[in-house]
Amino acid sequence: MAGAPGVNRQIRLASRPVGEVRPEDWAHGEEAVPEPGDGEFLGRTRYVSLDPAMRGWLDDRPSYLPPVGLGEVMRAGSVVEVIASNHPEFRVGDHVVGAFGVQEYAVSDGKGALTVDPALAPLSTYLGALGMPGMTAYFGLLEVGALKEGETVVVSGAAGAVGSLVGQIAKVKGCRVVGIAGGPEKCALLTGELGFDAAIDYRAEDVRKALRTHAPDGIDVYFDNVGGPVLDAALTRLAMHARVVVCGAISQYNNEGAVQGPSNYLSLLVRRARMEGFVVFDYARRYPEAAAELAGWIAQGRIKVKEQVVEGTVDDFPETFAMLFRGGNTGKLVLRLA
């Protein structure tokens, strides 16, 4: 049930998960809707972003961001509508994207927040193709991957928010693209609607053998979203001077033991290749240039936006979040608050 007037429903971290996140790791709470102070605005949440990286924020270990604290509102990107403001740059009725957390209302001083225009793109798209996943795909492929026209690109997690964009950007840049995804429906989406040259169903195929078929001359850029055995298979098929872009490792996030590292890493030596991780926040100053180019490709129909919008309330966040790790979503996963 949506929060009553004056009540702010929230999802907080109740306990650190071990392995897969359980319902009891979350706390469903509520508090009074806060009042904005001087230089602040109050926003009502319209859309909440769900991303695999959020799983890493739950573990108490060093990372590129501090972990979400026990008892704290779950960190998440979201789009809010300003309903009260004492901030000169944010007016009532504005739609703003930022890290406002999994809650119905949020007060912000505007730091890290950006006003977006629903007339130019659906609000959910500012959390996907024109948001962090889009920035991740753009800079990960073009900057870290140093993509060149005519190369062969393989992307894992290819039907997800980032992977689906990586493949399409590579096609825009004149490359051959092979996607790895789970299930025939997702593979059909890649080669049909999204224009990938080939797709590999890791659930039903021998990935290493399939890569020999679909990338006979080797992989120039491997964009990794999953880690584990799929990464190991890709490492055996690298071309000379290949680049392996480490974006994520969703197959490893719920491990209760040690993360499975690549056993075939010596391929990097033999093929004179490099393997590099990155965090998209490092490119924050260049987000406007990436967003402008992505928006242009979308307007031209060269990139198709794939989103899965779940209608619900804040209380639906835990089950929606679990979809990310069960292969239950296609494209960018977003929770729209009724």
Side-chain angles (χ1 to χ4, degrees):
M1 179 181 297
V7 175
N8 181 23
R9 296 184 65 82
Q10 303 169 318
I11 297 294
R12 295 176 177 269
L13 181 62
S15 59
R16 301 253 176 237
V18 177
E20 186 172 341
V21 183
R22 305 163 300 167
E24 54 266 35
D25 292 324
W26 305 111
H28 298 250
E30 60 182 46
E31 63 180 25
V33 174
E35 295 285 342
D38 290 339
E40 295 180 332
F41 66 85
L42 172 65
R44 181 167 185 170
T45 305
R46 297 303 185 189
Y47 293 87
V48 176
S49 179
L50 296 103
D51 302 282
M54 297 166 77
R55 175 60 184 84
W57 303 341
L58 305 180
D59 295 330
D60 189 10
R61 60 187 180 191
S63 186
Y64 58 90
L65 287 175
V68 176
L70 292 175
E72 290 183 357
V73 173
M74 178 58 193
R75 181 188 298 141
S78 59
V79 176
V80 304
E81 180 181 351
V82 178
I83 60 174
S85 181
N86 297 316
H87 195 297
E89 297 178 15
F90 299 92
R91 299 174 297 177
V92 171
D94 283 350
H95 291 89
V96 183
V97 64
F100 301 116
V102 185
Q103 55 185 338
E104 290 183 330
Y105 298 90
V107 162
S108 172
D109 62 6
K111 292 180 180 177
L114 178 68
T115 302
V116 295
D117 188 350
L120 297 179
L123 290 174
S124 55
T125 303
Y126 291 105
L127 296 174
L130 296 179
M132 209 60 64
M135 303 301 103
T136 301
Y138 184 94
F139 291 109
L141 180 64
L142 301 182
E143 295 293 324
V144 183
L147 187 68
K148 304 180 187 69
E149 183 178 357
E151 292 190 317
T152 295
V153 176
V154 174
V155 54
S156 60
V162 173
S164 62
L165 292 169
V166 168
Q168 293 185 84
I169 294 170
K171 289 303 297 180
V172 168
K173 295 295 185 178
C175 294
R176 174 174 173 78
V177 180
V178 180
I180 303 173
E185 295 83 4
K186 290 183 178 181
C187 288
L189 168 72
L190 297 180
T191 55
E193 187 175 347
L194 302 187
F196 284 52
D197 295 287
I200 298 169
D201 182 353
Y202 74 86
R203 294 177 179 170
E205 299 181 66
D206 181 320
V207 174
R208 186 180 301 192
K209 183 177 179 180
L211 285 172
R212 287 199 296 269
T213 300
H214 298 302
D217 297 323
I219 302 168
D220 297 298
V221 178
Y222 174 58
F223 196 104
D224 187 38
N225 289 303
V226 304
V230 174
L231 168 60
D232 248 339
L235 288 175
T236 68
R237 296 299 305 155
L238 298 182
M240 288 292 290
H241 306 294
R243 287 83 68 202
V244 177
V245 181
V246 181
C247 178
I250 195 169
S251 73
Q252 304 297 300
Y253 291 162
N254 287 330
N255 280 7
E256 296 186 25
V259 169
Q260 177 184 342
S263 61
N264 293 324
Y265 77 95
L266 285 178
S267 294
L268 300 170
L269 184 157
V270 175
R271 309 310 291 176
R272 288 74 149 179
R274 66 174 170 85
M275 185 172 180
E276 181 177 351
F278 77 105
V279 174
V280 70
F281 303 142
D282 295 342
Y283 296 91
R285 292 184 179 180
R286 296 178 57 191
Y287 286 173
E289 75 176 72
E293 191 156 29
L294 286 164
W297 291 333
I298 292 169
Q300 297 163 12
R302 303 181 75 185
I303 285 183
K304 296 181 180 179
V305 175
K306 296 304 300 179
E307 298 176 347
Q308 186 166 342
V309 179
V310 175
E311 302 280 343
T313 70
V314 162
D315 289 330
D316 294 308
F317 170 81
E319 184 58 32
T320 309
F321 180 68
M323 292 171 60
L324 291 168
F325 304 95
R326 299 171 183 167
N329 67 293
T330 300
K332 173 59 186 169
L333 183 61
V334 178
L335 176 62
R336 180 181 181 272
L337 300 191

